[in-house]
Amino acid sequence: MKLYDFDRAPNPRRVRIFLAEKGISVPMVPVDLSRHEHKSPEFTRLNPRQRVPVLELDDGTAISETMAICRYFEALQPEPNLFGRTPAEQGLVEMWQRRVELELLVPIMMVLRHLNPGMAASEVPQVPEWGEANKPKVLAYLEFLDTELAGRAYVAGDRFTVADITALVALDFMRVIRTEVPAKLAHLLRWRDVVSQRPSAGA
């Protein structure tokens, strides 16, 4: 088993944090996106979508997509649980993970991919207007999340889950679009301080 990884991309980091929380060690194969190694014939055979992360099992099975990889490891090693135990908790974790991914992490990526000249070869065509349109989406979701965190300790409830992993990675990745969490969002900043102190955050 091995995990194809790029240390500067947000999605591989989500998997690394997940594995660190589980205490699971997997051999890493670096794929340098800046050198377009993900477009090589060898990697394309592994993942035709040419994206990381990819988990290659011992029998040659390739699992791509961040949450699919995390779910594989959750099934392989259920504890510590990160996707929810009861049906209700599982539903809430899935809901919040999906919300944070689509409404915060993806807009951050859209700002980067459509406004950064260095991403022109990867985002064809670049649409600068779309990049600009996503900037207020990022800030609006931060405000929404701050309001939600006023009433609970973590994104999906009273304990750390995969939803918190996605949210932490999204907030840290905001540096690439030169955006910071506004100082007035005290609940969000409190949450970030807490989860950033977890050993897994350094993964």
Side-chain angles (χ1 to χ4, degrees), residues 69-141:
I69 294 171
C70 290
R71 285 193 175 278
Y72 172 84
F73 284 111
E74 182 87 344
L76 193 67
Q77 182 178 304
E79 296 294 336
N81 175 277
L82 293 170
F83 275 97
R85 292 189 177 90
T86 67
E89 190 183 33
Q90 288 173 6
L92 288 170
V93 171
E94 183 72 24
M95 176 183 79
W96 280 105
Q97 196 292 128
R98 189 71 168 156
R99 282 179 173 177
V100 174
E101 185 175 55
L102 292 180
E103 299 183 55
L104 182 60
L105 183 56
V106 169
I108 293 168
M109 290 179 176
M110 292 301 99
V111 175
L112 172 67
R113 295 180 71 89
H114 287 276
L115 291 177
N116 188 319
M119 298 296 297
S122 299
E123 192 65 44
V124 181
Q126 276 190 318
V127 183
E129 294 82 4
W130 180 234
E132 292 292 345
N134 275 277
K135 287 182 178 180
K137 293 177 184 287
V138 171
L139 295 175
Y141 194 81

Side-chain angles (χ1 to χ4, degrees), residues 3-16 29-34 37-39 43 46-47 49-55 63-66 69 109:
L3 184 67
Y4 292 80
D5 174 74
F6 180 57
D7 61 3
R8 299 201 302 272
N11 286 325
R13 185 183 175 214
R14 286 201 281 166
V15 174
R16 293 197 306 272
V29 179
V31 179
D32 193 336
L33 303 189
S34 64
E37 290 179 358
H38 58 301
K39 295 184 180 295
F43 188 80
L46 191 68
N47 181 10
R49 301 305 295 153
Q50 300 180 329
R51 294 170 184 166
V52 289
V54 177
L55 177 67
I63 303 173
S64 60
E65 304 302 332
T66 300
I69 294 171
M109 290 179 176

